[in-house]
């Protein structure tokens, strides 16, 4: 079973790597950021509720996020594996993920943490704002919020999950896209 959670600060290349890894692992890619952006674009009830938080770079409340992930992980297409991207984002969500998986009779196989220095991610986010025009990349204050939220709330999930017995792979995220993909696949024992 391949239940893998991907961690890394905004702008670390997580989305790019996730797209490649899901093919290598042959599992669906579940990105909570993509799910929320999709709700926002469709202006669903959830989308309307969360759009201001997304635009400010703040976390959506756990109750909303946990329920969305629990529903998603209960579906058939992720019965044998999933690549989680953007969840968990704080220690409470990390515990909830372990509970959700255990309720489903599954367990978290591994965590992959992509490590990139702060100044590198800031430069990459500025470039992405120009190229893709993603709302939450444009405003420096929002970018800064996302980095602070990552450091304060999300990064601690990695040692927390490790302390619960989950295998953690730290990957150096500085290098070419191909190099980083092969580092991750090597760590996961897929080549
Ligand atoms: P980034 O590239 O900044 O890591 P994502 O695409 O993963 O961004 O997420 C974008 C936004 O969606 C976050 O800034 C946050 O508002 C919301 N979000 C995504 N995942 C979660 C989560 N697990 N808990 C709370 N909010 C989330």
């Amino acid at each position: 079973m391949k239940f893998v959670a991907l961690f890394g600060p905004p702008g670390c290349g997580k989305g790019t790597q996730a797209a490649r890894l899901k093919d290598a692992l042959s599992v669906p890619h579940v990105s909570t950021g993509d799910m929320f952006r999709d709700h926002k674009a469709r202006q669903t009830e959830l989308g309307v509720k969360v759009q201001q938080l997304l635009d400010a770079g703040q976390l959506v409340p756990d109750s909303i996020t946990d329920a969305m992930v629990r529903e998603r992980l209960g579906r058939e297409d992720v019965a044998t594996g999933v690549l989680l991207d953007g969840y968990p984002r704080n220690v409470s969500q990390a515990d909830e993920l372990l509970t959700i998986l255990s309720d489903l009779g599954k367990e978290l196989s591994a965590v992959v943490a992509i490590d990139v220095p702060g100044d590198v991610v800031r430069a990459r986010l500025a470039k992405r704002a120009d190229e893709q025009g993603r709302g939450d990349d444009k405003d420096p204050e929002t970018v800064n919020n996302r980095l602070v939220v990552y450091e304060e709330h999300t990064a601690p999930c990695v040692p927390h999950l490790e302390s619960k017995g989950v295998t953690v792979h730290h990957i150096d995220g500085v290098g070419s896209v191909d190099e980083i993909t092969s580092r991750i696949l090597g760590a996961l024992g897929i080549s």
Side-chain angles (χ1 to χ4, degrees), residues 101-121:
L101 290 174
S102 130
D103 289 349
L104 292 165
K106 325 218 185 274
E107 61 182 26
L108 191 57
S109 325
V111 157
V112 172
I114 304 177
D115 298 328
V116 179
D119 52 338
V120 176
V121 294

Side-chain angles (χ1 to χ4, degrees), residues 30 32-33 35-36 46 50 59-75 84 86-101 103-104 157:
V30 170
T32 45
M35 291 168 85
F36 285 132
L46 175 61
V50 303
L59 293 188
V60 173
D62 290 348
S63 55
I64 295 178
T65 310
D66 291 341
M68 183 177 79
V69 171
R70 183 177 278 277
E71 188 279 328
R72 182 67 189 87
L73 292 184
R75 291 201 217 153
L84 275 176
Y87 186 92
R89 238 181 172 89
N90 58 35
V91 166
S92 160
Q93 292 184 6
D95 284 332
E96 181 63 15
L97 173 62
L98 297 180
T99 306
I100 294 171
L101 290 174
D103 289 349
L104 292 165
C157 292

Side-chain angles (χ1 to χ4, degrees), residues 115-149:
D115 298 328
V116 179
D119 52 338
V120 176
V121 294
R122 274 168 215 274
R124 287 193 196 162
L125 287 170
K127 188 161 167 259
R128 186 166 81 183
D130 286 345
E131 288 167 2
Q132 298 178 5
R134 208 177 101 174
D136 60 355
D137 285 345
K138 281 187 210 140
D139 175 26
E141 197 174 310
T142 298
V143 168
N144 202 47
N145 264 343
R146 285 160 55 214
L147 290 169
V148 169
V149 167

